[in-house]
Amino acid sequence: FTYLSLCLLTLVSLFIGEYLHLSCEEDSAGWTVKRNTTTKTLTECGDTWGKLRASSCRISYTHPSDSGVYWCESREGATSNTVNITVTAVILQSPVLPVMEGAAVTLNCTTRTPSSLPADFYKDGSLIRTESTGQMTIHHVSKSDEGLYHCTISGYGQSPPSWLAVAASLTLRPSTAQLFVHESLHLSCEEDSAGWTVKRNTTTETMTECGDTWGKLTASSCVISYTYPSDTGVYWCESREGATSNTVNITVTVVILQSPVLPVMEGAAVTLNCATRTASNLPADFYKDGSFIRTESTGQMTIHHVSKSDEGLYHCTISGYGQSPPSWLAVAGELLCHLVVFCPYFISTLLLVSLWRQRSAGKRLTD
């Protein structure tokens, strides 16, 4: 059996003969798994496919006919997000997240029993080349490498298509968008990024480059040795040709509210921490959507058994120091997915998708 890992997207590619477990959220009595395939629509687990147990569904031996769109649905008609599942004999393993220009990326064409078979690789429908080991590496990725890839292995067939995204990226050190006053900040563009520079918009200046009136420029990196509130703004990388990276909103402040970046599951506990640069246990007042909640003597507020009503914009204040920037607390009503086998290449969301691969040759399981 292979190890399971947690991922956060909406596509799953599975080999024929996998064991697939789909589960709705915790405490999900009354929820069931449904699907649409090319032959049947709006069918429930346990009707003509899968084995139903409470709010979970098991497919003991996947077939191509199990390819389709899956979701959780309650008795009242509420639904989760959907998960697109493809069952195939050949899978192309490729990065899910965008690859930075200048980096190297390896695409792996594989079957359920990996054996480094020769594979043909295609981009946007056109043959690129044949690789004897089933792996194709693109060195120094550029924007022109972005596209829809698939592969074929003789005697096994063709993989589902996989989109390779290529993007510029602004990276921060420290890797946080909220900084205390008087911290140092290092901003850099992508690898091999000659011709890229860091720019920003603040409340007093727009479209200014690092090295003009702020920061120290080194190649495609920028260093702010001593941050001030006036450094608060929107930062990005930009090339000579005008291509831009993602933007990052940076806030420089005396007080920071530390809160989860990713959505918190309903029923879980979450702790918000109100801190200064030199202390994290001072008394603090906590607010949600502008309304006072309560004062915590230690500067930490814990919400037990989070519900959707706890979702909102939080901030805190510490007497003598000031107010933190707002932080959005997101609450997810469905479980984050459990994907297996090929994370981060193959993933799903919002259904708990547990997948075990049976290694022993010739062993077949039936629903």
Side-chain angles (χ1 to χ4, degrees):
F1 297 103
T2 57
Y3 177 70
L4 294 148
S5 58
L6 182 68
C7 300
L8 288 178
L9 292 178
T10 54
L11 299 176
V12 180
S13 292
L14 309 178
F15 289 121
I16 296 170
E18 300 278 10
Y19 178 99
L20 176 63
H21 181 274
L22 306 105
S23 175
C24 299
E25 60 195 50
E26 294 181 17
D27 303 324
S28 53
W31 288 77
T32 188
V33 179
K34 292 189 175 183
R35 76 179 189 184
N36 289 335
T37 65
T38 55
T39 58
K40 294 181 180 180
T41 59
L42 290 171
T43 58
E44 292 187 10
C45 178
D47 286 350
T48 58
W49 61 276
K51 185 175 181 180
L52 183 64
R53 177 180 291 180
S55 296
S56 297
C57 179
R58 290 176 295 170
I59 301 175
S60 299
Y61 196 94
T62 55
H63 296 271
S65 58
D66 292 311
S67 296
V69 180
Y70 290 72
W71 68 94
C72 291
E73 189 167 319
S74 71
R75 294 192 191 103
E76 295 75 24
T79 59
S80 71
N81 281 23
T82 58
V83 178
N84 289 275
I85 295 177
T86 302
V87 180
T88 179
V90 179
I91 288 176
L92 177 63
Q93 297 175 355
S94 63
V96 172
L97 299 178
V99 179
M100 287 201 314
E101 284 192 287
V105 61
T106 297
L107 308 180
N108 184 33
C109 192
T110 185
T111 63
R112 189 182 179 194
T113 52
S115 55
S116 300
L117 296 172
D120 297 328
F121 288 85
Y122 297 79
K123 175 180 177 285
D124 300 328
S126 299
L127 176 67
I128 305 171
R129 61 180 179 266
T130 301
E131 292 288 351
S132 60
T133 62
Q135 291 188 335
M136 182 181 76
T137 299
I138 305 172
H139 301 282
H140 305 292
V141 168
S142 68
K143 196 69 178 174
S144 64
D145 293 310
E146 187 171 77
L148 201 62
Y149 289 76
H150 75 267
C151 65
T152 61
I153 296 178
S154 179
Y156 288 86
Q158 178 176 311
S159 73
S162 295
W163 180 262
L164 179 65
V166 180
S169 180
L170 173 64
T171 59
L172 311 179
R173 194 170 68 242
S175 58
T176 176
Q178 291 191 1
L179 301 171
F180 289 118
V181 173
H182 302 162
E183 285 195 271
S184 66
L185 174 62
H186 184 276
L187 308 102
S188 61
C189 300
E190 57 207 22
E191 297 178 24
D192 301 328
S193 52
W196 288 78
T197 189
V198 179
K199 291 188 175 184
R200 77 178 188 184
N201 290 335
T202 66
T203 55
T204 58
E205 297 176 309
T206 59
M207 301 290 291
T208 57
E209 293 186 9
C210 177
D212 286 352
T213 58
W214 60 276
K216 183 178 180 181
L217 183 65
T218 304
S220 296
S221 297
C222 180
V223 178
I224 301 176
S225 302
Y226 210 69
T227 56
Y228 293 93
S230 58
D231 291 310
T232 296
V234 180
Y235 291 72
W236 69 94
C237 292
E238 190 167 317
S239 70
R240 294 191 190 103
E241 295 75 24
T244 58
S245 72
N246 59 308
T247 59
V248 178
N249 288 278
I250 294 175
T251 303
V252 180
T253 181
V254 176
V255 179
I256 288 178
L257 177 61
Q258 298 168 344
S259 63
V261 174
L262 297 177
V264 178
M265 285 304 305
E266 283 192 290
V270 62
T271 298
L272 307 181
N273 184 36
C274 194
T276 67
R277 188 183 181 194
T278 55
S280 58
N281 58 355
L282 297 173
D285 297 329
F286 289 85
Y287 297 79
K288 176 179 178 285
D289 299 328
S291 298
F292 175 70
I293 305 171
R294 62 179 179 266
T295 300
E296 293 287 353
S297 60
T298 62
Q300 291 187 337
M301 183 182 76
T302 298
I303 305 172
H304 301 281
H305 305 293
V306 168
S307 67
K308 199 67 177 176
S309 63
D310 293 311
E311 188 170 78
L313 204 60
Y314 289 77
H315 76 268
C316 65
T317 62
I318 296 178
S319 179
Y321 288 87
Q323 178 176 311
S324 74
S327 294
W328 179 262
L329 177 66
V331 178
E334 301 86 10
L335 278 182
L336 299 180
C337 79
H338 230 37
L339 191 178
V340 254
V341 187
F342 294 116
C343 290
Y345 300 106
F346 309 106
I347 49 215
S348 68
T349 60
L350 304 180
L351 289 177
L352 182 67
V353 179
S354 301
L355 172 64
W356 290 269
R357 174 180 296 166
Q358 180 64 45
R359 292 291 189 185
S360 57
K363 183 173 181 179
R364 295 175 63 89
L365 301 174
T366 57
D367 288 346

